Amino acid sequence: KQEVTQIPAALSVPEGENLVLNCSFTDSAIYNLQWFRQDPGKGLTSLLLIQSSQREQTSGRLNASLDKSSGRSTLYIAASQPGDSATYLCAALRGDRGGSEKLVFGKGMKLTVNP
Amino acid sequence: KAGVTQTPRYLIKTRGQQVTLSCSPISGHRSVSWYQQTPGQGLQFLFEYFSETQRNKGNFPGRFSGRQFSNSRSEMNVSTLELGDSALYLCASSFDTQSGNTIYFGEGSWLTVV
């Protein structure tokens, strides 16, 4: 059974810091790993998707890496801003019988960037 | 390009009632999944539909059901509501089951059971 863990559950930092958010998963047989952002009272916004065959993906100030062998993914946020304050979730996509796929989510990490 | 649309956004129901939530996926997407989000359990998979067929179901009681229509729109139903069903219900769509496709979420439906 796939389990996804995000530690710590919350992080508070001053503006401008470079951040590293960690995600670990127990089953390396994943199709891909996706990072999401959730603002209070909102749905999930996809940030980055890393295929199982890839090592990293970049979008603006965000960089995500994937190491399947160690069961880890990292989201790197450069030069953090107050607008980055949100809950960040990682999710591993695994296949199930019947060809379906489902996301297994971590509990998320609540980030607060202070001006 | 319109995103994933969920209705209603907020609703309050009484224990024992039933509720139906609706989801319109992104145009062209055939896969629709449903997730429940609660503070204690986080995000949990409910079920996934593809071309009107349920292909996978999470560990939820039979009170939770869903369906998908020919236009890919999906509905989920919860019967005999319990207080513990209070949650944010999120719908997600993707192009198909191939692993390379990003999964997009709607804003969710906030259900409160009193």
Side-chain angles (χ1 to χ4, degrees), chain A residues 11-44:
Chain A
L11 185 64
S12 181
V13 299
E15 181 177 5
E17 281 203 4
N18 298 323
L19 305 174
V20 177
L21 281 62
N22 295 303
C23 171
S24 61
F25 47 93
T26 55
D27 185 352
S28 62
I30 61 172
Y31 289 160
N32 59 44
L33 189 131
Q34 200 164 343
W35 282 91
F36 295 90
R37 167 185 172 142
Q38 186 173 32
D39 293 286
K42 301 290 187 178
L44 276 64

Side-chain angles (χ1 to χ4, degrees), chain A residues 87-109:
Chain A
T87 296
Y88 291 80
L89 299 106
C90 69
L93 185 72
R94 55 166 291 193
D96 272 308
R97 55 188 181 280
S100 175
E101 300 168 340
K102 67 176 183 180
L103 287 169
V104 179
F105 282 87
K107 291 290 181 69
M109 194 211 75

Side-chain angles (χ1 to χ4, degrees), chain B residues 7-70:
Chain B
T7 58
R9 288 295 320 279
Y10 305 93
L11 66 166
I12 300 174
K13 290 287 188 177
T14 304
R15 272 186 306 175
Q17 288 186 316
Q18 74 165 14
V19 65
T20 299
L21 308 178
S22 178
C23 172
S24 293
I26 292 172
S27 178
H29 285 189
R30 293 191 294 166
S31 171
V32 175
S33 301
W34 289 89
Y35 292 81
Q36 181 196 63
Q37 186 176 32
T38 59
Q41 298 297 319
L43 273 151
Q44 292 186 293
F45 172 78
L46 280 159
F47 27 65
E48 188 248 354
Y49 288 87
F50 183 83
S51 294
E52 302 180 66
T53 301
Q54 184 185 89
R55 297 197 305 174
N56 200 3
K57 190 176 191 300
N59 295 322
F60 280 82
R63 300 185 296 108
F64 291 81
S65 63
R67 59 178 175 169
Q68 186 180 33
F69 302 95
S70 58

Side-chain angles (χ1 to χ4, degrees), chain A residues 57-79:
Chain A
Q57 281 288 329
T58 299
S59 176
R61 294 184 294 109
L62 305 179
N63 174 278
S65 65
L66 175 65
D67 184 344
K68 283 181 59 179
S69 61
S70 65
R72 294 176 184 270
S73 178
T74 299
L75 178 65
Y76 178 80
I77 302 176

